[in-house]
Amino acid sequence: MKSISLLLALYLFQPAALAYIWPNPPIDGLEDAYTISSGFGALGIVDDVTPCTLGPAGSGRQTSAEWLRTAYHDMATYDSATGLGGLDASIGFETNRPENIGTAFNTTMSFFNVIQTNHMSCECVILAIKNCGGPSIPFRPGCIDATEAGPSGVPQPTESLETHIHHEFARQGFNATEMIGLVACGHTLGGVHQVDFLSIVANAITPENQEGVVHFDDTSGVYDNHIAVQYFNGSSVDPLVINSNSDAAIFGSDGNQTMREFAQDSEFYISRCGELLERMLNTVPSSVKLGDVIEPLPVKPYDMNLFFNATGGLQFSGFIRIFGTSDEAAAANPLDMPVRLVWLDRHGGSSTSYTTPAVSAEFMAATSLFGSLQFFQFVDVDIDPSLGISSFVVEWAYDQQSALTTANNGGAGFPYQDVILFQTKGSCHGAVDKNSTINAVVSTSLNKILIINTHPFRFGTTWAPSPMYMWTTASRRRNKAR
Ligand code: HEM
């Protein structure tokens, strides 16, 4: 019994690898969410901010802008002297503060809660900015959500330039020049809402614009340098320049040098915003240590499943994802790409029969904001149950003429265990909790392979109910009695 528990523990809690080697359960999901923007395998985050102007929460509202503003307000409480505050989702407990005016914060946090693991809110902001045409901001996992409100300290438009520079941005760890940059990198999406700032915006409410939003620039649905171009050539529409002195004072505080550079060079604007927003998103409480930057894996297994079929045969199914940033990757036709899996058996042995092609189809079409990706599927591949499988590599090319490249997951292949098999087809899964019953059975004929499922299924003739089954039932009874 001990050995079964140990196996389960090893399977469920594999230690995080130093470099990102598949599988790495907490990172795998985040990497998928980062890499797959739409189509097959996508979580739908990017769909919620596409187009960049999308704002289902109210007329005139813009989800992408709300996510970015929410991230800044969450971070803006950071105190570099104490290490307290910073990006930790504490904004969810702080929405009734006057410094967090508007319903955008609640709407944003509700959305993040639905898709959430606590690492994911930063990822959403990064995807939204990129989707609007902004920089590629490196994503580091590891944010930890606060369980209560943190310190206050979000800058207000009514405060002086002195307060903004020397108290708020300095406390947050940004100098005066960086402050100008960060504000100009934020006030390129969305705008000021009359319903929230009556003293700054007037007469903007119409049936089509029920919150009375006045945009910061003439391209509020594009992450670009128009905030600086219009400021610099005197055609600014930014209410915080025209009707309030907040942005005007900040933008002019270095004699317009930063805004001039931004206005004259759109690429410089994008790259500088990438740097500043990366710092903003990495400003977490000092007790939190962020992980390494997650980048799309070039070749990655997806939704793999090794299972016993109705007649007792062992079968392997799943998908392979191929990601690239080259012109070749963009031009590739997945229907014409050779892709195949080559595996080793449980003892590390190879054979010419240990291989299967993986093919693409229309339903697997997917896109990435960061490059091109294609999916390939292999279905119900027979594996000899007495020999099993221990790892595989993927051999692939962008077309039939090119030599195959071997993806070996950093050298040792993609590990695949055949000891504990989850019977997807025989289980109702997705809502497993502490009250669920997990059934397990050990094969007496197939080398002691263990199958688990989460509701009763009919055992075939070669299967006998295992001590594990008795154990789970008995231990639940015991736990109840405690
Ligand atoms: C002195 C610093 C800042 C002040 C006083 C300020 C003030 C404001 C105000 C008054 C609004 C209008 C909000 C509403 O109508 O509900 C706004 C919107 C916005 N701010 Fe700032 N802000 C500052 C810095 C920043 C920074 C650093 C960022 C991000 C890097 C940012 C991102 C945004 C965004 C994206 C919006 C548009 C929100 C929407 O359309 O829903 N702001 N800001």
Side-chain angles (χ1 to χ4, degrees):
M1 198 48 46
K2 254 187 185 164
S3 61
I4 290 173
S5 310
L6 183 66
L7 282 172
L8 267 171
L10 282 175
Y11 178 66
L12 296 174
F13 304 106
Q14 296 178 44
L18 282 177
Y20 178 24
I21 299 292
W22 184 91
N24 188 336
I27 304 298
D28 285 336
L30 293 167
E31 192 269 355
D32 279 336
Y34 184 80
T35 307
I36 313 168
S37 309
S38 71
F40 187 73
L43 262 188
I45 298 171
V46 176
D47 289 344
D48 282 295
V49 284
T50 304
C52 178
T53 47
L54 191 71
S59 82
R61 288 178 65 170
Q62 186 174 341
T63 306
S64 55
E66 295 184 359
W67 289 2
L68 176 54
R69 181 171 174 239
T70 301
Y72 175 62
H73 279 230
D74 192 28
M75 184 289 287
T77 58
Y78 185 65
D79 185 337
S80 49
T82 62
L84 298 176
L87 210 84
D88 59 0
S90 65
I91 183 94
F93 301 97
E94 298 158 1
T95 52
N96 53 2
R97 292 179 179 168
E99 65 188 30
N100 293 326
I101 196 161
T103 51
F105 303 108
N106 275 328
T107 314
T108 302
M109 294 313 288
S110 305
F111 176 82
F112 289 170
N113 279 340
V114 172
I115 52 122
Q116 135 112 274
T117 73
N118 53 18
H119 310 273
M120 223 170 230
S121 26
C122 296
E123 199 170 35
C124 293
V125 178
I126 287 172
L127 294 173
I129 291 171
K130 180 70 183 167
N131 192 49
C132 290
S136 298
I137 302 167
F139 167 56
R140 294 174 64 193
C143 289
I144 295 179
D145 284 359
T147 50
E148 57 187 2
S152 54
V154 179
Q156 299 301 293
T158 44
E159 290 166 341
S160 67
L161 178 64
E162 158 83 10
T163 303
H164 286 154
I165 296 178
H166 296 295
H167 297 289
E168 284 153 345
F169 280 87
R171 170 178 44 74
Q172 294 159 17
F174 292 89
N175 68 26
T177 310
E178 291 164 347
M179 171 194 70
I180 303 167
L182 200 58
V183 175
C185 293
H187 292 174
T188 175
L189 298 180
V192 181
H193 303 230
Q194 181 180 339
V195 289
D196 298 332
F197 288 92
L198 288 166
S199 61
I200 299 177
V201 173
N203 305 322
I205 295 179
T206 63
E208 297 75 41
N209 183 5
Q210 287 167 13
E211 298 209 357
V213 182
V214 176
H215 294 133
F216 288 123
D217 66 19
D218 61 358
T219 53
S220 62
V222 184
Y223 194 101
D224 64 11
N225 68 342
H226 281 214
I227 180 71
V229 171
Q230 288 187 281
Y231 168 80
F232 207 70
N233 70 19
S235 65
S236 179
V237 292
D238 176 354
L240 300 180
V241 167
I242 298 170
N243 306 334
S244 135
N245 199 34
S246 182
D247 278 4
I250 288 171
F251 292 165
S253 61
D254 65 351
N256 290 331
Q257 193 185 326
T258 301
M259 291 305 270
R260 184 184 298 110
E261 287 166 359
F262 280 173
Q264 288 172 348
D265 188 341
S266 59
E267 280 180 22
F268 173 69
Y269 170 81
I270 294 289
S271 73
R272 185 74 183 125
C273 288
E275 290 162 11
L276 290 168
L277 292 173
E278 181 183 0
R279 268 185 56 201
M280 177 183 103
L281 293 172
N282 290 344
T283 299
V284 293
S286 59
S287 55
V288 175
K289 298 285 167 258
L290 295 178
D292 293 335
V293 169
I294 294 184
E295 284 180 353
L297 285 187
V299 175
K300 185 177 179 187
Y302 181 83
D303 200 11
M304 313 288 271
N305 193 12
L306 184 66
F307 58 97
F308 280 93
N309 63 18
T311 55
L314 186 58
Q315 292 189 313
F316 195 26
S317 290
F319 298 85
I320 298 296
R321 196 196 75 196
I322 295 184
F323 171 89
T325 53
S326 63
D327 292 346
E328 217 186 350
N333 173 4
L335 301 178
D336 196 35
M337 286 173 62
V339 176
R340 65 177 188 232
L341 255 75
V342 180
W343 68 88
L344 297 179
D345 64 31
R346 193 180 303 134
H347 312 289
S350 60
S351 155
T352 49
S353 65
Y354 292 173
T355 183
T356 183
V359 293
S360 196
E362 238 171 64
F363 79 90
M364 288 175 238
T367 67
S368 174
L369 289 170
F370 303 98
S372 307
L373 59 85
Q374 299 91 15
F375 276 97
F376 303 86
Q377 186 181 28
F378 58 98
V379 187
D380 295 353
V381 177
D382 290 323
I383 302 279
D384 181 342
S386 64
L387 290 168
I389 179 171
S390 57
S391 71
F392 60 88
V393 296
V394 178
E395 297 179 343
W396 67 280
Y398 278 125
D399 57 56
Q400 300 289 348
Q401 289 71 46
S402 305
L404 294 175
T405 300
T406 300
N408 61 12
N409 197 32
F414 298 91
Y416 208 84
Q417 63 83 30
D418 62 1
V419 180
I420 300 175
L421 307 185
F422 180 55
Q423 284 296 104
T424 315
K425 286 182 183 164
S427 300
C428 62
H429 53 99
V432 179
D433 61 23
K434 63 181 166 46
N435 296 316
S436 302
T437 300
I438 295 181
N439 299 305
V441 59
V442 176
S443 161
T444 48
S445 61
L446 300 183
N447 227 359
K448 289 199 190 309
I449 289 175
L450 176 82
I451 297 181
I452 58 177
N453 83 340
T454 54
H455 79 162
F457 70 107
R458 196 176 290 278
F459 299 121
T461 47
T462 53
W463 300 98
S466 75
M468 176 76 174
Y469 175 75
M470 308 306 289
W471 173 76
T472 49
T473 316
S475 68
R476 282 184 63 223
R477 250 187 254 121
R478 253 201 325 274
N479 288 341
K480 265 190 182 166
R482 267 180 203 154

